[in-house]
Amino acid sequence: MSGDPTPHAKTSRLRRLREHLRPSPSPSPSRLPNPPSIGLRRANSPDASNLLENTLKRLSDRDRATLQDHLPTDSSDIGDSLEQALDAAKEKHQCCVEKRWTLTFAGRAITLQDEADKVVRWLNRFKAAGDIAVNADPLHAGLVWAGIRLLLEVAVSDANQMTSLLVGCETVLYMVNRLKVYMDFWHELPATLARANFGNALTDLCSHILHFLALAIQTYQAATFKRATTAFWDEGGIREFEKVCDKLETRVEIEAQNCDRELSVHDREHTEKLRQDLQTVLEEVKSLHIGHDWVRRLEVRLDLDKLPYAKGAMFNSYGEVHKTCHPATRVDVLRQIQDWAQRPQSKSIFWLNGMAGTGKSTISWTVAKWLTDQGRHGIVDLGASFFFKRGEGDRASAVRFFPTITRELVLKIPRLDVLIAGVISSDPFIFDKSLGEQFDKLIYQPLQKVNIDSSDFPTLVLVVDALDECEKESDVKAILDLWSRLAHIKAICVKLFLTSRPDLPIQLGFKNMSVNAHQDMILHDEVPRTTIQHDISVFMTDAFSKIRKEYNDDPPSGVALSDDWPGDKDLQTLVETAVPLFIIAATVCRFVGDANWDAQERLMTVLQYQTEGYLEQMEKTYLPVLTQLPATLSNSNDQDRLYHEFQRIVGSIVVLAEPLSMASLTVLLNESQGTIRLRLRPLHSVLHVPADAETPIRPLHLSFREFLLSEKIQDKPFGIDGPATHRMLLSKCLQLLSGCTGLRENLCNLEYPGQPRRELDPALINERLSPVLQYACRYWVHHVQHSMARIHDDDEVHAFLQKHFLHWLEALSFMNRIAEAISHIGALQSLVSVILANRYIADLAPLQIYSSAMVFAPKNSLVRNICSQVPPWLQKCPIVPAMWSPELQKLEGHTYWVNAVTFSQDGLLASGSYGCTVRLWNLTTGQETQKLEGHTRSVNAVAFSQNGLLASGSDDRTVRLWNPSTGQEMQRLEGHTNHVNAIAFSPKSSLLASGSHDNTIRLWDLTIGKEMQRLKGHTKPVISVIFSQDSSLLASESDDNTIRLWDLNTGQETQKLEGRIESEVAFSQDGLLLASALSDRTIRLWNSVTGQEMQRLEGHTGRVQTAAFSQDGSMLASGSLDQTVKLWDPTTGQQMRQLEGHNYIAVVVFSEDGSLLASGSLNDRTIRLWNPTTGQAVRKFENVLEVTHITITFDNKILLTNRGPIPIDDESIHTTASNYWTTKASDDWIQRNDQNFLWLPQEYRASHSAFHDDIFALGIDAGHVSFIQLDRNWEPSAS
């Protein structure tokens, strides 16, 4: 575009596209408001031509040749390609209509007519947009249309091939639509470095799309038989194409956001308007991609399978024994709950609380069943449920609470699965984050976004039972705080029914909640005692009637029970004993009704204890059960053995961290199933003992566990000594883990050291790690902590760690429980460092525990002395520190560089990233606890206040305040006109100062969220601000090289405190000439003896990065950001040749004889070989990551690079250099045969690296070099 003002009738490219994308005709074009300055006009065609050229260069030679055969030669050909593609699509549509093809693809039944219709619709929209040949970029050059046309013209008679063709083409066209919107935005921008980076990102995305098309064309060009039987793209290929496109588009979006950094205020405002249009059009394109979600249906299902959940916590879980309320009991209570659930305007939370044993869980079960039944009628339905239970692993904590709820909700709410799959895909570690972030990402945000008609959708009620049995008070508080936001969800009506004991943390949680958010009912207070007595009487009368009938069907003594048994008096005694606790009534009925015993005798035993006035209710309930145990013996001399077995078996059941099945108990305790069944037979009234051996055995009520462990009965033979039982279970766990069927290295037989865990079939993991082995891995440390015993040298714990510490970490990683090793490891504090340092990689690749964790562990660390071993494929290990550094761990999770970090007073770490996010980290475990999203551009500053608030400043010109506990954004402070670089709270947290690229400091009153003062004086961006202790002064630092002090009472400046050659150098072979590449885009040649400047070489249009002399000194090569390599005559200073093809040249080097020149690029990840005499390209090596050093061997056969050696000719690949292809250093891995072998911790990642004779030299930013040597002869089979 010329520099002339925009014509009156000319509509911006984005605006035209927006109008063409709408179903209605485009409105008349109109003038853009506030025309931009001349610098903001569209880039000229040579720039666009470079985009096309660079895109083609990034393709493989085969792909490029495939596509160039079909590249239209002029604009009329481009239009013809689009017209012909459209005609071919219409023919395919007609074929699908006639054949009525319907089949399954990616897990969903589809009609091919619909898919063909989508392809036609996309092509029509491109045709309507017009001006398809305006710019010489990869889209307007017609590459896509030519490829699509060719594929659509292929004769297809097979339904599966037709499906593959249409779905693939539709997906390509969708991605091309999005790319076109970005390219139109790019064309409107001035030529800046930020625009060049944006163009590079667009090139990557476009080349990926063209590669995808080339694959299908190559299939078309194959032999006739192959073409007839091979799909153009398979399901996995289409899903992978979209996944990579999404990642590349993320980079495109970030680069697009950076294009206003060096613009004037006026141009920046216009660019911001264009960016807003860009986002609007992208959303419109996305909304038009009907059916886009189902292409990922199979991937969605797989993602949802990754949702961890608490087994046994959901309503109707297998193995759970729950009964609903008797139809004649709890009538009024249930009526109130049902009325609350069905009333649209009722409060969002119903809290039913009561003492232990008052029947809350039975009511919860009854409510859940009623909701499930009501779901068929469409008014209310059970949305999800979670039944907490202390002493049952994940059911006793909130770790799996929100994922479990989410797993159930996706089965109830249409299209919620796609939203949740997207969350998991973008953040695989979401389940390890704080409860606030889990709630926000898995429940709150998806329920706000779900697109359903709420008027036709039932109210979903979530049932959460026994919240008091969640083990952490802080989690209880957080759960209540988060659920209070339910009322803010408008897309769907969701309510919460919650039960608990009236414990103080829960009472306080509801006290802090708005009274408009919840209604309460206290079972033991608001429900009259007479009502409770009536309900218990009805329940027991009905239960004894059933007992009597079953007894009389086959009387053990031959004498039937009377029709009025047990009699009104005895029944009344039992009822009065039970009131108000339903658990007592239920336990008595189960005890008396046990078919293995005489009901009359058992009734007498119970009644006997009711006359003991000094006994408490629970004693009167459980003592009759336990004192009957000796009656099972035929020989009274066996009592000691009986009670010993009782304490081992029943004691284990009540103190286990989570319930185990009969089969698992048999293995763990080394007892026969027969013995266990005999000991449990008299206890079916207090324990749930399934008939099968694989379902867990568990107490029927928490009160039984509490009773057995209470101090009051420790003098009884059936009292359980908790610490002693934990010590016994610890020994049993360690024996199991150390045994022949226990732990060993590479338990799941991974194929190579860096193989990801996700590649394993979960069934294989469960086969190698049985339930009892998993229990022992997860909870042996739990038993250490509760055993009250001190661990010491040479004890069983020490012996286990010496032999199996790494095996244990490997097993935890396979189980996806590596984080638990940190949270439970207080008793093993000396080993914490190795887990913290390697938690990230152990979670991804379990076998790195044996390699990276050991190779980089400090020389004198305990773990190295205990577990010292070197992987067999390493011949030389790097020198490591003697002890762990003060740095405990690396926190990894940001996908872009981190700009700012800060600590809170309570030990949280906040980090702000270029990727627009703020993340919070738990410094004890190294886990990311919150990901705070809201900023739309890079986050530059983060700060905590004294009272725990978090503030963040961003390139999006805002400052945001966050609640670190819940992740909620609390305030957004707007006013800056450019990037916010620095923020600071005043000591009393009432004020916040922010410094910006707009050269100002702003003071904000946080009580009202308003700007108080604007401090002006700096002439360049403000980079730092800080308050004085009394908040009377503020200091600011700026790029104008001043520090200024400000009086905050007056806003006046009180004081101003005032206060760089950058080059690459190369010597000629004789040492007489020195070349320096300067930032002014020139190369200077100097006489190294006199210091005199000999030549100034000018011609590069970008910064010069590197320079090198040929061996004979006759040529100088230079590489630049302008994407060229130039060859110079050092004597005359004249440019001899210009070599093009690279992007961002980082290194150039001549061969010994001067016949070859090698150049390496950081951006396009290639090394290229040139003939410097002719300027012709000789070879190109792709996918070479961050090459910064190259040497050519004297025989010109091998390139020795910092990322490993590369053979130059094909012959060397198959002979002497066969090993050279196999080993290289990527950013964070040492790789062999493109497989990850050794993970490099952050502090060992090389900014520069070299390779020689199987030895890597890694140059570290900290200023040292590490050496690692691999054994070239080692083969995986030798492991």
Side-chain angles (χ1 to χ4, degrees):
M1 178 182 285
S2 69
D4 297 332
T6 306
H8 180 75
K10 183 75 172 177
T11 307
S12 75
R13 179 174 295 276
L14 277 173
R15 185 170 298 175
R16 290 202 312 273
L17 180 57
R18 288 179 65 185
E19 298 303 331
H20 286 311
L21 284 169
R22 291 173 180 158
S24 58
S26 302
S28 300
S30 59
R31 180 192 298 269
L32 277 173
N34 301 320
S37 64
I38 292 176
L40 198 57
R41 302 299 178 217
R42 182 181 301 160
N44 55 25
S45 58
D47 194 18
S49 298
N50 287 338
L51 192 65
L52 171 59
E53 190 174 341
N54 289 335
T55 300
L56 291 174
K57 286 178 180 178
R58 296 195 186 187
L59 296 171
S60 68
D61 292 339
R62 183 186 182 193
D63 288 352
R64 187 165 52 251
T66 298
L67 292 170
Q68 284 182 327
D69 287 344
H70 307 286
L71 182 63
T73 57
D74 55 38
S75 59
S76 62
D77 282 347
I78 296 171
D80 289 344
S81 292
L82 181 55
E83 288 285 356
Q84 290 163 10
L86 186 54
D87 290 341
K90 290 177 179 177
E91 288 181 13
K92 290 291 186 287
H93 181 267
Q94 184 60 34
C95 175
C96 293
V97 170
E98 293 171 357
K99 297 198 176 186
R100 299 180 180 180
W101 273 327
T102 300
L103 72 167
T104 300
F105 187 86
R108 179 184 183 272
I110 64 170
T111 302
L112 294 195
Q113 174 185 341
D114 295 339
E115 299 311 308
D117 186 57
K118 294 174 191 174
V119 173
V120 172
R121 191 161 57 241
W122 283 124
L123 291 170
N124 266 324
R125 291 187 181 284
F126 272 104
K127 181 181 177 181
D131 292 341
I132 60 174
V134 169
N135 298 295
D137 63 37
L139 292 184
H140 298 94
L143 276 173
V144 173
W145 321 129
I148 291 285
R149 181 206 68 203
L150 178 68
L151 295 173
L152 289 174
E153 287 177 346
V154 175
V156 177
S157 58
D158 177 71
N160 290 302
Q161 272 195 323
M162 182 70 85
T163 304
S164 164
L165 172 65
L166 294 176
V167 173
C169 287
E170 197 272 339
T171 306
V172 168
L173 288 169
Y174 168 67
M175 296 311 305
V176 168
N177 260 274
R178 297 184 68 81
L179 177 61
K180 186 178 188 302
V181 177
Y182 281 113
M183 281 188 169
D184 288 337
F185 176 66
W186 178 78
H187 279 297
E188 298 284 349
L189 298 173
T192 63
L193 180 59
R195 182 182 184 274
N197 291 334
F198 182 24
N200 287 334
L202 289 172
T203 302
D204 284 340
L205 179 55
C206 191
S207 63
H208 180 62
I209 293 172
L210 293 178
H211 166 68
F212 188 67
L213 274 175
L215 290 177
I217 295 173
Q218 289 155 14
T219 298
Y220 160 73
Q221 293 172 335
T224 305
F225 174 76
K226 181 178 179 181
R227 189 172 68 218
T229 57
T230 305
F232 295 103
W233 301 287
D234 59 19
E235 295 178 23
I238 295 173
R239 290 198 306 275
E240 184 63 24
F241 168 70
E242 283 199 290
K243 185 181 294 186
V244 175
C245 280
D246 288 344
K247 290 181 180 179
L248 292 173
E249 189 179 348
T250 299
R251 182 190 164 207
V252 167
E253 178 60 32
I254 289 174
E255 298 298 350
Q257 292 175 359
N258 292 326
C259 287
D260 66 352
R261 282 181 175 267
E262 300 173 5
L263 301 180
S264 67
V265 173
H266 185 227
D267 286 349
R268 191 182 303 119
E269 289 175 353
H270 181 75
T271 302
E272 183 64 31
K273 172 69 167 60
L274 289 176
R275 185 183 292 108
Q276 291 171 4
D277 285 346
L278 171 75
Q279 295 303 322
T280 301
V281 179
L282 287 173
E283 286 301 316
E284 291 174 356
V285 170
K286 187 174 182 180
S287 68
L288 290 169
H289 187 34
I290 302 168
H292 170 64
D293 289 334
W294 73 257
V295 177
R296 303 186 204 154
R297 186 64 55 184
L298 184 58
E299 183 179 350
V300 166
R301 188 167 66 248
L302 293 175
D303 278 340
L304 294 179
D305 287 341
K306 297 175 186 176
L307 268 171
Y309 65 99
K311 292 183 179 179
M314 295 176 281
F315 172 69
N316 266 349
S317 292
Y318 177 75
E320 282 296 297
V321 176
H322 274 288
K323 292 185 177 181
T324 56
C325 298
H326 188 282
T329 66
R330 300 300 199 188
V331 174
D332 187 58
V333 172
L334 292 171
R335 181 189 55 76
Q336 292 187 52
I337 296 169
Q338 292 165 5
D339 179 62
W340 161 82
Q342 293 178 102
R343 276 190 295 112
Q345 304 306 317
S346 63
K347 297 178 181 180
S348 58
I349 300 176
F350 190 112
W351 177 34
L352 179 71
N353 72 85
M355 300 186 304
T358 51
K360 301 181 298 296
S361 293
T362 303
I363 293 174
S364 293
W365 200 262
T366 305
V367 170
K369 185 178 184 305
W370 174 79
L371 288 167
T372 302
D373 294 339
Q374 290 296 308
R376 304 185 186 98
H377 307 301
I379 299 175
V380 291
D381 196 359
L382 177 65
S385 59
F386 196 101
F387 288 75
F388 282 98
K389 197 162 188 179
R390 190 170 297 149
E392 295 217 6
D394 291 335
R395 289 183 63 185
S397 77
V399 172
R400 298 288 181 253
F401 177 63
F402 288 123
T404 303
I405 297 292
T406 303
R407 192 181 181 98
E408 297 177 85
L409 285 174
V410 296
L411 301 176
K412 297 286 186 177
I413 303 174
R415 295 177 294 281
L416 180 62
D417 55 354
V418 177
L419 296 173
I420 299 300
V423 172
I424 300 171
S425 177
S426 62
D427 188 1
F429 296 110
I430 181 63
F431 314 114
D432 292 334
K433 304 297 177 59
S434 71
L435 294 180
E437 185 159 355
Q438 288 186 41
F439 175 81
D440 201 50
K441 300 289 181 61
L442 296 174
I443 295 177
Y444 188 75
Q445 289 185 22
L447 291 185
Q448 293 278 43
K449 296 176 182 176
V450 70
N451 185 19
I452 59 175
D453 184 357
S454 57
S455 63
D456 293 332
F457 200 76
T459 296
L460 295 181
V461 179
L462 313 177
V463 175
V464 177
D465 181 61
L467 181 60
D468 56 283
E469 296 191 30
C470 179
E471 57 192 13
K472 290 185 179 179
E473 288 187 6
S474 59
D475 288 348
V476 171
K477 181 179 180 301
I479 287 172
L480 290 174
D481 187 32
L482 294 166
W483 281 129
S484 67
R485 298 165 60 190
L486 270 181
H488 300 156
I489 297 173
K490 303 300 183 184
I492 188 172
C493 183
V494 182
K495 298 182 180 182
L496 173 67
F497 175 74
L498 182 145
T499 74
S500 75
R501 298 182 187 183
D503 292 351
L504 183 60
I506 298 177
Q507 291 189 52
L508 292 176
F510 277 105
K511 186 176 180 180
N512 293 331
M513 201 182 294
S514 167
V515 293
N516 295 321
H518 67 94
Q519 72 179 72
D520 311 340
M521 176 182 288
I522 305 173
L523 269 180
H524 58 274
D525 189 2
E526 294 183 18
V527 180
R529 184 178 178 86
T530 54
T531 301
I532 297 174
Q533 185 171 0
H534 168 267
D535 288 349
I536 291 179
S537 177
V538 170
F539 171 79
M540 297 191 81
T541 299
D542 185 65
F544 275 106
S545 174
K546 293 176 181 177
I547 294 170
R548 182 172 63 245
K549 182 180 182 305
E550 291 175 3
Y551 184 94
N552 288 344
D553 286 344
D554 185 17
S557 62
V559 179
L561 299 173
S562 62
D563 291 343
D564 62 348
W565 182 89
D568 292 342
K569 180 180 179 182
D570 290 341
L571 183 61
Q572 186 61 30
T573 299
L574 296 175
V575 170
E576 291 176 356
T577 300
V579 173
L581 305 181
F582 268 80
I583 184 59
I584 293 178
T587 302
V588 166
C589 292
R590 282 194 298 266
F591 177 71
V592 174
D594 190 333
N596 295 306
W597 309 93
D598 185 279
Q600 183 62 31
E601 291 181 5
R602 289 213 150 190
L603 176 62
M604 291 302 102
T605 301
V606 172
L607 291 171
Q608 176 185 341
Y609 279 92
Q610 309 315 310
T611 61
E612 304 290 342
Y614 63 89
L615 293 178
E616 295 179 356
Q617 277 185 303
M618 288 303 174
E619 291 179 283
K620 294 179 179 180
T621 303
Y622 293 125
L623 283 177
V625 177
L626 298 171
T627 54
Q628 290 295 297
L629 293 177
T632 63
L633 300 175
S634 57
N635 188 337
S636 60
N637 294 327
D638 291 335
Q639 278 200 31
D640 289 344
R641 178 183 172 188
L642 167 73
Y643 286 121
H644 177 71
E645 291 175 350
F646 175 89
Q647 290 170 342
R648 280 167 54 83
I649 298 170
V650 180
S652 295
I653 290 171
V654 299
V655 305
L656 284 170
E658 69 176 30
L660 290 176
S661 66
M662 182 79 69
S664 293
L665 281 173
T666 298
V667 175
L668 181 62
L669 301 179
N670 196 24
E671 291 278 7
S672 69
Q673 284 197 27
T675 300
I676 295 176
R677 287 194 183 279
L678 285 172
R679 295 291 75 84
L680 300 184
R681 183 179 294 171
L683 300 173
H684 286 212
S685 60
V686 290
L687 296 175
H688 170 53
V689 184
D692 66 276
E694 303 302 327
T695 304
I697 300 168
R698 48 172 52 94
L700 288 168
H701 197 267
L702 180 63
S703 58
F704 182 61
R705 177 184 184 274
E706 295 171 342
F707 179 74
L708 288 181
L709 294 172
S710 65
E711 288 290 334
K712 196 166 188 176
I713 67 163
Q714 287 306 301
D715 58 336
K716 307 287 186 184
F718 41 76
I720 302 299
D721 183 337
T725 306
H726 280 290
R727 287 193 292 273
M728 181 268 294
L729 287 172
L730 166 64
S731 295
K732 295 294 184 182
C733 286
L734 297 183
Q735 290 169 21
L736 180 64
L737 295 174
S738 304
C740 59
T741 59
L743 302 180
R744 61 174 175 82
E745 184 174 350
N746 199 3
L747 190 65
C748 293
N749 294 340
L750 295 180
E751 296 176 3
Y752 58 94
Q755 185 174 354
R757 184 189 67 220
R758 65 176 180 271
E759 293 182 2
L760 282 182
D761 185 345
L764 175 62
I765 296 176
N766 291 330
E767 176 189 331
R768 300 299 171 84
L769 285 161
S770 64
V772 67
L773 203 60
Q774 291 195 33
Y775 177 90
C777 282
R778 288 187 63 190
Y779 294 116
W780 72 265
V781 177
H782 167 83
H783 293 304
V784 169
Q785 294 172 313
H786 290 82
S787 67
M788 302 296 196
R790 295 178 61 86
I791 57 176
H792 52 80
D793 288 350
D794 301 323
D795 68 0
E796 59 183 345
V797 173
H798 184 223
F800 170 77
L801 292 174
Q802 280 186 308
K803 187 173 183 180
H804 295 293
F805 178 61
L806 300 184
H807 302 157
W808 172 54
L809 295 185
E810 177 195 345
L812 287 174
S813 178
F814 281 129
M815 295 157 53
N816 197 20
R817 298 282 186 174
I818 192 72
E820 293 184 5
I822 302 169
S823 58
H824 290 306
I825 204 110
L828 311 171
Q829 191 62 43
S830 58
L831 295 175
V832 163
S833 296
V834 71
I835 304 176
L836 290 175
N838 294 280
R839 175 194 176 274
Y840 174 79
I841 190 57
D843 210 27
L844 297 179
L847 294 190
Q848 287 301 300
I849 290 164
Y850 303 101
S851 46
S852 182
M854 292 300 98
V855 167
F856 298 106
K859 181 171 59 177
N860 297 332
S861 64
L862 177 61
V863 68
R864 191 149 187 159
N865 291 329
I866 288 178
C867 312
S868 181
Q869 64 181 73
V870 176
W873 38 268
L874 269 183
Q875 286 191 330
K876 182 180 181 63
C877 294
I879 297 174
V880 294
M883 295 302 295
W884 293 105
S885 71
E887 174 195 277
L888 289 177
Q889 57 187 314
K890 287 287 187 300
L891 307 179
E892 306 198 31
H894 283 294
T895 53
Y896 294 91
W897 52 85
V898 176
N899 296 328
V901 293
T902 187
F903 286 98
S904 69
Q905 288 192 329
D906 58 0
L908 278 177
L909 177 73
S911 57
S913 161
Y914 185 78
C916 312
T917 63
V918 178
R919 300 182 189 237
L920 298 179
W921 308 85
N922 180 316
L923 296 184
T924 301
T925 66
Q927 288 179 272
E928 179 186 316
T929 62
Q930 294 272 17
K931 180 180 177 184
L932 310 180
E933 295 179 300
H935 284 297
T936 58
R937 304 189 68 180
S938 173
V939 178
N940 303 319
V942 287
F944 281 104
S945 67
Q946 294 288 325
N947 61 1
L949 290 178
L950 176 66
S952 57
S954 166
D955 277 3
D956 65 10
R957 309 174 190 177
T958 69
V959 177
R960 301 182 190 230
L961 295 180
W962 311 85
N963 181 334
S965 298
T966 65
Q968 287 179 268
E969 180 182 317
M970 301 175 64
Q971 286 186 32
R972 184 181 308 179
L973 309 178
E974 297 177 300
H976 281 295
T977 59
N978 210 321
H979 317 315
V980 178
N981 301 322
I983 52 177
F985 284 98
S986 65
K988 293 185 179 180
S989 305
S990 59
L991 298 177
L992 184 134
S994 57
S996 168
H997 233 67
D998 63 11
N999 307 343
T1000 70
I1001 304 106
R1002 300 187 189 228
L1003 286 179
W1004 309 87
D1005 184 337
L1006 299 183
T1007 58
I1008 58 175
K1010 299 292 184 182
E1011 179 183 322
M1012 292 174 54
Q1013 291 187 36
R1014 189 177 309 178
L1015 310 180
K1016 297 182 178 180
H1018 284 296
T1019 58
K1020 287 190 176 181
V1022 179
I1023 58 175
S1024 177
V1025 290
I1026 185 172
F1027 284 91
S1028 64
Q1029 281 300 310
D1030 61 1
S1031 299
S1032 63
L1033 290 176
L1034 181 78
S1036 60
E1037 181 184 0
S1038 166
D1039 280 342
D1040 63 11
N1041 294 325
T1042 69
I1043 296 175
R1044 301 178 190 237
L1045 299 181
W1046 309 84
D1047 184 329
L1048 297 185
N1049 293 320
T1050 64
Q1052 298 299 307
E1053 177 185 318
T1054 62
Q1055 197 169 358
K1056 180 169 70 172
L1057 311 177
E1058 295 178 282
R1060 301 186 275 216
I1061 262 181
E1062 178 178 22
S1063 68
E1064 291 273 345
V1065 297
F1067 281 96
S1068 62
Q1069 187 67 16
D1070 59 12
L1072 293 179
L1073 281 180
L1074 180 145
S1076 62
L1078 303 186
S1079 57
D1080 65 0
R1081 305 176 182 179
T1082 68
I1083 301 138
R1084 312 286 176 93
L1085 297 184
W1086 311 84
N1087 183 309
S1088 62
V1089 178
T1090 66
Q1092 180 182 359
E1093 180 181 319
M1094 306 293 293
Q1095 298 284 356
R1096 179 178 302 188
L1097 311 181
E1098 299 178 324
H1100 281 296
T1101 58
R1103 176 178 167 179
V1104 181
Q1105 294 290 100
T1106 181
F1109 285 96
S1110 62
Q1111 289 292 315
D1112 62 4
S1114 64
M1115 280 188 285
L1116 176 75
S1118 59
S1120 165
L1121 288 181
D1122 65 9
Q1123 306 181 16
T1124 68
V1125 176
K1126 294 181 185 287
L1127 297 178
W1128 311 84
D1129 183 334
T1131 304
T1132 65
Q1134 296 299 306
Q1135 179 180 318
M1136 301 168 64
R1137 282 177 185 78
Q1138 178 169 300
L1139 313 179
E1140 299 181 356
H1142 266 312
N1143 189 348
Y1144 194 129
I1145 295 96
V1147 58
V1148 291
V1149 64
F1150 284 94
S1151 64
E1152 189 92 9
D1153 61 5
S1155 65
L1156 292 175
L1157 174 72
S1159 59
S1161 168
L1162 291 177
N1163 207 345
D1164 63 21
R1165 300 183 176 183
T1166 67
I1167 295 176
R1168 299 178 190 239
L1169 282 180
W1170 313 85
N1171 182 329
T1173 304
T1174 65
Q1176 295 298 307
V1178 177
R1179 291 288 300 274
K1180 181 173 75 169
F1181 305 96
E1182 299 180 315
N1183 298 318
V1184 185
L1185 180 68
E1186 294 186 0
V1187 61
T1188 57
H1189 175 79
I1190 304 174
T1191 301
I1192 304 176
T1193 58
F1194 72 94
D1195 57 3
N1196 290 353
K1197 286 190 174 182
I1198 299 170
L1199 298 176
L1200 300 176
T1201 80
N1202 59 300
R1203 294 302 180 188
I1206 301 173
I1208 291 175
D1209 57 70
D1210 292 338
E1211 180 182 354
S1212 66
I1213 294 175
H1214 299 292
T1215 57
T1216 58
S1218 62
N1219 281 340
Y1220 286 122
W1221 268 116
T1222 63
T1223 307
K1224 64 180 179 179
S1226 68
D1227 180 43
D1228 51 357
W1229 286 92
I1230 299 292
Q1231 295 176 318
R1232 180 172 178 178
N1233 291 335
D1234 291 324
Q1235 293 178 337
N1236 295 332
F1237 262 55
L1238 183 70
W1239 181 72
L1240 301 173
Q1242 190 77 37
E1243 61 271 26
Y1244 289 92
R1245 293 175 191 171
S1247 55
H1248 302 281
S1249 64
F1251 188 90
H1252 176 71
D1253 196 23
D1254 296 317
I1255 298 177
F1256 276 102
L1258 306 176
I1260 314 301
D1261 284 338
H1264 62 272
V1265 178
S1266 290
F1267 296 92
I1268 298 173
Q1269 183 175 10
L1270 277 66
D1271 183 351
R1272 72 171 67 184
N1273 298 315
W1274 181 85
E1275 295 297 334
S1277 59
S1279 64

